[in-house]
Amino acid sequence: MSADPILEIHGLSHDGRGVARLDGTVVFVVGGLPGQQVRARVLRRKPRFWEAASTEVLRQTPDAVPPLCPHGDACGGCPLQTLPQARQLAWKRTLVLDALERVGGLPRPELEALLGPVAASPATTRFRNKMELAFGPDAAGLPVLGLRERGGRRVTPVPGCTLLPPEALRMAAAAQNLAQDLARRNGLNAWNAPEQRHQPARRRQSRTFQNRMLLGRDAEQAGGFWRFLTLRRGLAADLRSPRWWALCLTSPGDATARAAVRGLGRELLAAFPHMAAFVHEERGRADALTLGERRVDVLDATGRSRPEAARLHLPLLGRFFTLDVASFFQVNTSAAQILARTALDLLPEGGEELLDLYCGVGAPGLLLAPAFSRLYGVEQDARAVALARENAAGLSVDHCRYAAGDAALLLQERTATADMVLADPPRAGLAPAALAALLRLRPRSILYISCNPATLARDAALLREGYRLARLAAVDLFPHTPHVECLSLWQRL
């Protein structure tokens, strides 16, 4: 067998790799798309499948479109960008159906009848209100800022990225130049992310396609200072003025290093009048996650320290939600409206209590709350819980209670059931203990919002023992990627 076999790509895996067969063995191909014939380099041979990477497209898929940006061959952020939007949506629907049939054990005809076309994102370029950009060393060891390369850990700058508005790209370029100056002067180099197995990360820690993976080498070989720069667009306190917020994540530093970050932040704020705040957080763990462990400083637009400047506002179905620069909220504002409206449309009759699991800052649970006498929200992030309470008060929803803690533990302590459960977990899906507790409580209905069809299907295999799948819908919040949001309504048998 040739070391670089020629493969016919006939399908798409849940993580965006092409699917081919070679002498009866399934091969997952990074960079391969359905309809292509590619030459591939075999990366790993496992007992049940092989992994490979496309090195040359020998025959393009018939309806291929030009790449959106000049970084398509290297950047891992938009693996489906040469497929027309209609085909992207069709493949996303297939991914949902395949997962629920093969893993969830649900009959295909039933699924086909329930799931209509995937709702398209209104915008396919410049739609992101947030992007997590990674720092990495270039060939000379200086920090560059961009996205992970496809199938690897190296960072490639993306000045032509079409997911962000031009102003954000200029901010990223300026931040890279400032970080390089500091590296030359103070030796503050880019972080080398440690390699661990490819695995889905928790959604509330990161939503960027490539940066949601643990990448690199062994943890003990990791090192460096600059880790991530998150750029986020929202509304100022007047709820009319769009502004940008920057969150810089570094390794822990001494007073000199922190002063250098503060100086970088002030230079960015001075250069970009639409930047509302610059936030510095640190993370000491040797991984590639974007979740800060310590907030060092918040600089407002004038460059002064002011913690409340880290707040911003985003709209959802005519309401405005307050969040922190580090809070989870959907990054595609226009498509998020479709997702929230779909959730409301799937909502059955109201009832006494809505149990809102993984409630975040209160969305979309507070949109459903008027149909119930009580809302009880659960979220592990204490900062998000405080914001959920504030958002409930701001929306004049006064029948809500929120608790900070592990969903599984809080559910295990409950004895009373709920009429309705809204579950919006991270990509890992419902924790096994949380799902077991839900099945014990037996609420009348469960509205499950999932950003990962694979873990939804895993949970569906257990849910169907006591529930029937009554409604199913899907929304595309991440064009050009394999990701798709699923909404499923489960009713007690």
Side-chain angles (χ1 to χ4, degrees):
M1 182 195 72
S2 169
D4 295 322
I6 294 174
L7 301 173
E8 298 282 344
I9 308 297
H10 61 78
L12 198 65
S13 69
H14 72 278
D15 57 3
R17 292 179 292 178
V19 180
R21 285 189 176 273
L22 182 64
D23 298 329
T25 299
V26 174
V27 185
F28 295 107
V29 185
V30 174
L33 293 175
Q36 289 180 339
Q37 182 187 72
V38 303
R39 189 182 305 279
R41 183 178 71 257
V42 176
L43 303 175
R44 282 172 289 274
R45 293 177 172 86
K46 299 187 177 183
R48 297 180 60 186
F49 60 88
W50 290 5
E51 294 177 331
S54 172
T55 58
E56 182 184 2
V57 176
L58 303 176
R59 187 188 67 240
Q60 185 58 272
T61 183
D63 54 354
V65 296
L68 286 170
C69 75
H71 315 298
D73 289 338
C75 173
C78 298
L80 307 187
Q81 64 177 289
T82 56
L83 287 181
Q85 187 184 24
R87 280 199 70 201
Q88 291 185 33
L89 297 175
W91 272 109
K92 292 186 184 201
R93 183 176 185 272
T94 298
L95 291 175
V96 175
L97 295 172
D98 287 349
L100 288 172
E101 178 189 21
R102 296 171 184 173
V103 181
L106 294 164
R108 186 71 171 224
E110 175 185 327
L111 294 170
E112 291 277 4
L114 286 171
L115 183 60
V118 175
S121 170
T124 59
T125 61
R126 315 295 185 199
F127 62 83
R128 291 191 73 107
N129 61 46
K130 176 185 175 185
M131 181 74 89
E132 292 158 353
L133 299 166
F135 280 103
D138 67 6
L142 293 174
V144 294
L145 186 63
L147 296 176
R148 306 286 184 193
E149 290 188 353
R150 182 178 296 179
R153 61 179 293 273
R154 189 167 61 181
V155 171
T156 183
V158 287
C161 177
T162 59
L163 302 186
L164 280 174
E167 186 176 23
L169 297 174
R170 292 193 295 271
M171 292 175 182
Q176 174 180 291
N177 291 337
L178 291 168
Q180 289 183 351
D181 289 342
L182 289 168
R184 293 186 186 99
R185 296 201 311 263
N186 300 342
L188 297 175
N189 296 317
W191 174 250
N192 273 319
E195 182 175 6
Q196 297 181 19
R197 293 177 185 173
H198 174 88
Q199 58 181 339
R202 294 182 66 81
R203 178 176 56 179
R204 303 194 194 282
Q205 293 171 343
S206 172
R207 286 290 287 198
T208 303
F209 176 63
Q210 280 290 310
N211 293 341
R212 280 189 304 204
M213 304 175 190
L214 301 180
L215 301 164
R217 301 167 297 172
D218 294 335
E220 62 269 17
Q221 297 181 26
F225 183 70
W226 304 104
R227 295 200 183 199
F228 290 93
L229 182 74
T230 297
L231 296 174
R232 188 163 205 170
R233 193 181 193 206
L235 296 175
D238 63 4
L239 303 182
R240 294 190 303 273
S241 305
R243 293 289 184 269
W244 286 94
W245 281 254
L247 171 59
C248 183
L249 182 68
T250 70
S251 299
D254 58 17
T256 300
R258 290 177 175 179
V261 178
R262 192 177 304 115
L264 180 149
R266 285 175 174 153
E267 291 203 47
L268 284 178
L269 290 163
F272 296 97
H274 288 143
M275 184 176 286
F278 178 89
V279 181
H280 178 203
E281 292 187 345
E282 294 176 339
R283 183 173 182 84
R285 299 184 188 183
D287 56 30
L289 298 182
T290 60
L291 183 67
E293 295 172 328
R294 173 188 173 89
R295 179 158 293 180
V296 179
D297 203 359
V298 179
L299 303 177
D300 67 12
T302 68
R304 292 192 294 265
S305 293
R306 192 163 64 90
E308 58 269 26
R311 291 189 166 202
L312 62 144
H313 309 271
L314 284 173
L316 196 63
L317 294 189
R319 285 83 162 179
F320 292 94
F321 286 82
T322 301
L323 54 151
D324 181 84
V325 66
S327 298
F328 169 76
F329 212 83
Q330 297 292 356
V331 305
N332 185 334
T333 301
S334 58
Q337 314 308 308
I338 299 174
L339 181 69
R341 172 53 60 190
T342 304
L344 287 174
D345 291 344
L346 293 185
L347 181 70
E349 69 281 1
E352 286 296 311
E353 185 176 44
L354 170 64
L355 181 56
D356 188 0
L357 299 182
Y358 311 96
C359 66
V361 299
L366 286 170
L367 301 178
L368 280 60
F372 297 86
S373 301
R374 300 185 306 278
L375 181 149
Y376 179 55
V378 175
E379 167 63 48
Q380 191 161 16
D381 181 359
R383 183 187 292 160
V385 168
L387 288 166
R389 294 184 181 122
E390 184 176 330
N391 284 320
L395 296 173
S396 300
V397 182
D398 57 5
H399 55 282
C400 302
R401 291 188 304 119
Y402 291 96
D406 181 81
L409 295 177
L410 292 173
L411 284 175
Q412 288 168 359
E413 295 171 357
R414 280 182 66 99
T415 57
T417 188
D419 295 292
M420 175 84 178
V421 169
L422 171 63
D424 188 7
R427 285 187 61 78
L430 289 167
L435 181 54
L438 269 186
L439 293 173
R440 175 183 61 81
L441 291 172
R442 301 195 74 240
R444 187 177 67 220
S445 302
I446 300 172
L447 179 57
Y448 191 147
I449 302 177
S450 168
C451 61
N452 186 351
T455 54
L456 169 63
R458 179 204 66 202
D459 295 342
L462 296 176
L463 282 171
R464 68 188 183 91
E465 296 177 4
Y467 289 82
R468 71 176 184 90
L469 179 59
R471 303 283 299 278
L472 182 62
V475 182
D476 183 16
L477 268 76
F478 295 89
H480 320 303
T481 80
H483 301 302
V484 59
E485 299 278 334
C486 299
L487 303 93
S488 57
L489 177 67
W490 301 82
Q491 294 185 331
R492 187 176 61 205
L493 294 174

